[in-house]
Amino acid sequence: MSKEMFEELKQEVREAGLLNRVPIRGSVEMLAIIISMAFIYYALFHWNAINIAYPYKSILLGLFMSLVFTRAVFVSHDILHRQYFKDKGLSFKLSYPFSAIILSNSSSWWDFKHNVNHHTWCNIIEKDVDINAMDGAFTHKKGDKAWLKKTKYLVFWGAMFFMYPAFVAQSYKFVIKRKKWGEFSLMLLHWPVIWGPVFYFLPLSEAIIVALTLNFTLSPWLAFGFITNHLGCEVFDNEVGSKLSWMELQMRGSRSLRGGMIVHWFYGGLNTQIEHHLFPKAPRFNLLKVQKITKEFAKKYNINYFETGILEAYVQINSELKKY
């Protein structure tokens, strides 16, 4: 796939207006999340007046918080890709406090790990940290840990339910190692701002139920979305991958999922992974339209387009895991 071929596709997408930033729509989504947080505070302040039996009231609050946190993850991801605002400085100034206070997540860590590393070196073993998960189980350079071979299904699929705390832990490790004390301070604000009211207004048992419900909803929601993006796709040694064009590397190393608006909403646009990797600054709201153009372009030039159903993707991932 030549550079000229990608430029042709990019020009078609640009002329359709699908690369234009969406500052108003993005701002509205950010505002909706902040308003949702205010609603959570309101519910906590009037907790005893809510006539729902124990423990369902706490479970419902945990589910609602999980919904808000999930959307916050997707919004933070989109801001860092500058899908809302062209100005990089503005994008970072918004993302850092937004992600740190609501999620206790480091934008600088995510930008380095995801934007700089993963998007540049997609599925290149020596460069892309993500593809080396599970001792290289999803690469042709698999490790040889006996204990992991015996427990690989439990470890891999079980880890899906702890994705969020793992992200938080990696965030803190990154900012402390890089001595990013300003961002570290913002991340620490998450605990009194978000969880302080939960544990102050609710009995301890109910607060714990909220926290557990959030984790065991949010973690698999994010994890089962993220793993479909590249696991089970082609991987490359640096010698091979560095010689591929941008378009070929992104298309061969990514998987898109079939489905319409509901799937697109649930996966936060990551279901159109090929399109996201080809055009990371294209707003999530436009990616289904970008996908239509990309698929037609691939058909026109007889380019392989790796798209599967949702369940098929998980079967492919598990089949690859079996080889470890």
Side-chain angles (χ1 to χ4, degrees):
M1 302 177 199
S2 67
K3 182 179 180 181
E4 291 74 19
M5 189 176 289
F6 175 63
E7 288 302 321
E8 180 183 342
L9 172 60
K10 187 175 182 179
Q11 184 62 25
E12 189 174 349
V13 173
R14 181 185 290 114
E15 289 178 353
L18 301 176
L19 297 182
N20 297 337
R21 265 72 170 199
V22 287
I24 295 177
R25 189 166 183 176
S27 298
V28 168
E29 189 166 25
M30 290 179 66
L31 184 60
I33 291 171
I34 294 171
I35 292 173
S36 296
M37 291 305 306
F39 176 79
I40 292 171
Y41 292 146
Y42 179 85
L44 291 170
F45 293 153
H46 298 84
W47 189 253
N48 293 329
I50 301 174
N51 190 24
I52 301 177
Y54 175 88
Y56 304 109
K57 185 163 54 171
S58 299
I59 292 173
L60 286 174
L61 179 59
L63 291 174
F64 183 74
M65 289 181 67
S66 179
L67 172 64
V68 175
F69 277 36
T70 304
R71 303 325 295 177
V73 169
F74 295 145
V75 167
S76 182
H77 167 269
D78 296 348
I79 297 174
L80 285 175
H81 275 300
R82 292 160 62 194
Q83 294 178 14
Y84 298 168
F85 309 100
K86 187 175 182 179
D87 186 280
K88 185 175 182 179
L90 175 61
S91 298
F92 274 65
K93 287 175 182 176
L94 288 172
S95 177
Y96 272 56
F98 182 85
S99 184
I101 296 173
I102 295 180
L103 300 166
S104 201
N105 188 66
S106 165
S107 290
S108 59
W109 164 71
W110 186 253
D111 182 58
F112 175 79
K113 172 184 178 292
H114 182 74
N115 294 7
V116 176
N117 190 307
H118 170 65
H119 271 265
T120 305
W121 310 104
C122 177
N123 279 29
I124 295 179
I125 298 171
E126 294 86 349
K127 300 286 187 68
D128 188 354
V129 177
D130 291 352
I131 201 62
N132 285 293
M134 284 289 293
D135 195 31
F138 297 95
T139 75
H140 51 266
K141 293 187 176 181
K142 295 174 172 57
D144 192 32
K145 295 180 179 178
W147 71 269
L148 191 55
K149 288 180 181 292
K150 293 179 181 179
T151 60
K152 58 187 177 183
Y153 298 112
L154 176 64
V155 172
F156 179 75
W157 295 110
M160 300 297 103
F161 296 90
F162 299 94
M163 174 70 78
Y164 177 56
F167 270 23
V168 172
Q170 290 178 68
S171 289
Y172 277 96
K173 180 179 178 181
F174 182 87
V175 297
I176 292 172
K177 184 178 181 180
R178 299 296 179 96
K179 297 181 180 180
K180 294 182 175 291
W181 304 123
E183 188 176 18
F184 178 71
S185 299
L186 288 172
M187 291 165 62
L188 288 178
L189 280 177
H190 166 85
W191 306 106
V193 171
I194 303 300
W195 290 105
V198 173
F199 281 85
Y200 179 80
F201 287 103
L202 272 56
L204 181 59
S205 62
E206 295 187 53
I208 290 174
I209 290 172
V210 171
L212 291 176
T213 300
L214 180 139
N215 176 70
F216 290 113
T217 305
L218 175 63
S219 287
W221 189 341
L222 297 176
F224 278 88
F226 292 159
I227 65 172
T228 63
N229 300 339
H230 304 283
L231 297 187
C233 300
E234 284 190 82
V235 296
F236 312 95
D237 293 319
N238 185 45
E239 184 178 354
V240 175
S242 59
K243 294 178 181 178
L244 299 178
S245 69
W246 169 265
M247 184 176 184
E248 187 169 9
L249 178 63
Q250 307 307 328
M251 290 192 71
R252 289 175 62 178
S254 306
R255 175 199 287 107
S256 287
L257 302 177
R258 300 188 190 97
M261 287 301 299
I262 295 178
V263 171
H264 196 63
W265 177 86
F266 185 85
Y267 283 89
L270 301 181
N271 53 300
T272 48
Q273 188 66 195
I274 291 173
E275 289 70 28
H276 172 56
H277 264 255
L278 289 175
F279 308 105
K281 294 176 185 174
R284 163 170 40 98
F285 313 106
N286 295 341
L287 286 177
L288 285 177
K289 293 178 181 178
V290 177
Q291 183 182 52
K292 184 175 184 296
I293 293 174
T294 304
K295 290 172 72 172
E296 290 174 353
F297 187 88
K299 184 177 181 181
K300 175 183 176 181
Y301 287 101
N302 197 29
I303 300 170
N304 183 51
Y305 184 90
F306 189 24
E307 181 185 45
T308 72
I310 294 173
L311 292 178
E312 185 181 357
Y314 298 126
V315 170
Q316 289 175 351
I317 292 167
N318 196 63
S319 297
E320 192 64 30
L321 184 61
K322 284 182 182 178
K323 300 175 185 177
Y324 175 72

